[in-house]
Amino acid sequence: MAREARTFRAEGIVLRRRNVGEADSIFVVFGPELGKFEGVARGIRKSRSRMRGHLEPLTFSRFLLARGRTLDVFTQAETIRSFPRIGGDLERWAAASYYAQLVDRFTGEDAPHPELFELLFVALEALNDGSDPGSVSRYVEIHMLALAGFELQVDACAACSARLSPEETLLAPGAGGLVCRQCRPGAGVGRLVSVPAIKVLRYAARASLPQFTGLHIPGEVAEELQQALAGVIRYHLDRELPTARLARELSPGSNDPATPGADTL
Amino acid sequence: MATGGTPEAIARLVEQFNRLPGIGPKSAQRLAYHILRVGDEEAEALANAVLEVKRRIRLCSVCCYITEQDPCGYCTDDRRDQSLVCVVEQALDISAIERSGGYNGVYHVLHGVLNPMDGVGPEDLRFRELLARVQGGSVSEVIMATNPSLEGEATAMYAAKLLGPLGVRVTRLARGLPSGADLEYADDVTLLRALEGRQAV
């Protein structure tokens, strides 16, 4: 009779934390092998806790967990890779929180998804290395959609597979991507995207993240892509993620983000 | 009408306890049956304490601390340096700083930290009051005493971004190793900060 081990090892990036009880927290972690899992860390909010720094959100750590009746318990934690520059920059932090929330929303528990882990990891690395948060975000959105099963069809019409003519084209999330003029009436909600934006979408689908962030995207195209992709994600998740809103508000292009409720002051 | 044999009044009390943070259904039941057993006086004292706190306590219009009088004791104390404002996440943090005995300025309570994962954005915190206070001109330094967590750091950076243009000095509590800690268990970020903030012995 095989007896289940009392403890097990795991690795992963901490997605979020929820405080419970006096000094405990529940952590949701996304790992390359286990997928999304959660566990409780006892006494982690006390300043003497040895695990505290290793279980900060957006840290890639190695853990030892003990099987619990309802929740597994973190007993050891050690950082594999931290991303100090993300924590030191408001815009990068907001972007990284957005990716963590996207992963959280697009995945179920205990479903391993190594490619998605890889995407999150390289995205955090890129943010930490100083890449433009806007470009990293667009890349993450496009590939996150694909890995979650909502890949955008951008090379041909998503409805009839016809070739697309080089013109402003409807991006319709319900149809699964760009749709040609003929298919437009039945394609549902969407947004017209310009030719340069379509080119960027196609490039992003093929390129690696470092290649993509090396591409210079003009301001108005970047803005257009941000809105178009936000629309697609809103369509699939049924709402705008709070982190997406904050990331948008804190990006340099937006109007003075630093004044909460400025209109009422 | 009673459901499943449990009198409705008990069920209602269990449900109310169950809403409290950290109280699960079992604990809620235990508390409710405890209330049933105690004397009328004790139960009444509890009920009155709950009502009283809601009736008498409000937020200070200056610093958003919980108080019975507006402005609160800290904001009206002229022995305190009113130009030095220490910004904390929650009212409880003030007791911790007061306990240290090393601070003689005033406070500002944000009532949370930026936490977009849980839907807490800048507009949900008391930044507007802080901004108004600094715009008033009597503040020379704002000390960000939010927790040294990712969210706490982000909140401090947000405050710096918000208040920086007004010319006020915005500082952050130092970060490093807690007293009595083991170096070998320290995480990279903490060690890095501790090295950056080293001081002559």
Side-chain angles (χ1 to χ4, degrees):
Chain A
M1 196 174 77
R3 232 183 33 203
E4 211 179 349
R6 283 229 195 98
T7 60
F8 64 100
R9 285 173 196 287
E11 286 181 359
I13 293 172
V14 181
L15 295 183
R16 64 186 157 91
R17 153 182 57 205
R18 180 169 86 243
N19 291 341
V20 286
E22 283 274 308
D24 306 342
S25 298
I26 291 174
F27 291 89
V28 177
V29 180
F30 185 64
E33 280 144 33
L34 293 182
K36 191 164 80 175
F37 61 94
E38 62 174 31
V40 63
R42 307 262 179 231
I44 188 107
R45 278 144 67 202
K46 293 180 181 161
S47 62
R48 293 289 294 271
S49 166
R50 287 166 171 173
M51 289 194 292
R52 192 183 163 126
H54 303 284
L55 268 165
E56 273 292 297
L58 308 174
T59 306
F60 180 33
S61 293
R62 186 178 292 131
F63 312 104
L64 190 68
L65 290 102
R67 296 237 178 252
R69 236 177 314 171
T70 46
L71 267 178
D72 296 332
V73 182
F74 288 96
T75 57
Q76 285 177 33
E78 187 193 6
T79 306
I80 298 173
R81 179 102 154 80
S82 61
F83 305 97
R85 195 158 166 191
I86 292 177
D89 179 318
L90 208 51
E91 192 193 353
R92 289 175 197 283
W93 169 74
S97 304
Y98 174 42
Y99 312 156
Q101 192 161 42
L102 278 177
V103 169
D104 194 21
R105 293 296 163 92
F106 274 125
T107 53
E109 290 227 346
D110 300 320
H113 205 323
E115 297 94 342
L116 194 54
F117 177 83
E118 182 64 24
L119 176 66
L120 178 62
F121 186 78
V122 296
L124 294 181
E125 264 193 330
L127 282 182
N128 195 54
D129 292 344
S131 300
D132 170 48
S135 290
V136 181
S137 297
R138 298 302 82 77
Y139 187 88
V140 167
E141 286 166 342
I142 290 162
H143 286 267
M144 185 88 64
L145 282 166
L147 291 171
F150 303 112
E151 184 164 13
L152 289 174
Q153 168 65 268
V154 289
D155 291 318
C157 171
C160 70
S161 304
R163 267 186 58 136
L164 293 165
S165 29
E167 57 178 1
E168 213 176 41
T169 308
L170 185 76
L171 179 67
L178 297 172
V179 286
C180 66
R181 231 171 234 283
Q182 283 71 38
C183 298
R184 231 181 248 181
V189 291
R191 193 194 144 87
L192 285 171
V193 283
S194 68
V195 175
I198 293 172
K199 284 186 178 161
V200 176
L201 283 174
R202 286 179 183 155
Y203 184 63
R206 282 193 306 271
S208 70
L209 180 54
Q211 284 171 335
F212 185 71
T213 52
L215 181 76
H216 172 74
I217 306 173
E220 66 275 11
V221 180
E223 173 82 24
E224 187 188 350
L225 282 169
Q226 188 272 321
Q227 290 179 12
L229 288 166
V232 176
I233 287 181
R234 206 165 42 234
Y235 177 88
H236 290 300
L237 293 177
D238 261 340
R239 53 177 294 203
E240 182 181 34
L241 295 180
T243 48
R245 194 164 56 104
L246 190 69
R248 198 186 61 227
E249 284 171 2
L250 291 176
S251 69
S254 71
N255 312 325
D256 189 16
T259 326
D263 47 339
T264 51
L265 274 173
Chain B
M1 205 179 74
T3 52
T6 310
E8 203 186 335
I10 284 277
R12 215 164 29 222
L13 188 57
V14 170
E15 193 198 314
Q16 291 304 321
F17 277 128
N18 201 3
R19 290 184 181 187
L20 299 178
I23 307 275
K26 283 283 170 211
S27 304
Q29 266 175 18
R30 223 169 12 240
L31 289 172
Y33 281 91
H34 172 78
I35 297 287
L36 200 59
R37 277 195 303 271
V38 301
D40 288 359
E41 249 171 64
E42 206 174 313
E44 221 161 280
L46 175 68
N48 285 334
V50 171
L51 286 177
E52 198 120 306
V53 84
K54 289 311 287 178
R55 277 194 200 124
R56 290 181 40 186
I57 302 287
R58 57 197 134 158
L59 295 187
C60 170
S61 58
V62 181
C63 71
C64 304
Y65 181 54
I66 45 170
T67 180
E68 288 189 24
Q69 290 163 341
D70 186 19
C72 73
Y74 294 120
C75 292
T76 49
D77 187 346
D78 51 18
R79 284 164 305 175
R80 285 181 173 268
D81 183 351
Q82 297 283 340
S83 72
L84 192 58
V85 177
C86 179
V87 179
V88 294
E89 286 181 23
Q90 45 168 347
L92 270 173
D93 297 336
I94 292 185
S95 337
I97 293 175
E98 283 296 302
R99 228 174 19 240
S100 76
Y103 182 66
N104 193 36
V106 290
Y107 296 96
H108 188 89
V109 188
L110 288 177
H111 293 278
V113 273
L114 286 182
N115 191 349
M117 292 288 268
D118 289 337
V120 183
E123 64 283 356
D124 302 309
L125 304 175
R126 301 283 170 165
F127 274 120
R128 197 175 305 173
E129 289 83 349
L130 181 61
L131 190 64
R133 219 171 152 182
V134 173
Q135 276 168 340
S138 57
V139 179
S140 64
E141 180 176 346
V142 173
I143 305 169
M144 293 306 297
T146 47
N147 284 331
S149 62
L150 208 59
E151 295 85 1
E153 292 291 336
T155 308
M157 284 188 287
Y158 184 84
K161 197 170 172 182
L162 179 70
L163 303 175
L166 300 174
V168 67
R169 188 169 127 93
V170 183
T171 54
R172 178 88 179 101
L173 286 190
R175 269 181 74 170
L177 302 163
S179 33
D182 270 333
L183 210 60
E184 66 167 311
Y185 289 109
D187 61 281
D188 311 349
V189 178
T190 304
L191 265 178
L192 206 68
R193 294 293 169 95
L195 275 170
E196 282 168 6
R198 68 185 184 278
Q199 288 175 0
V201 184

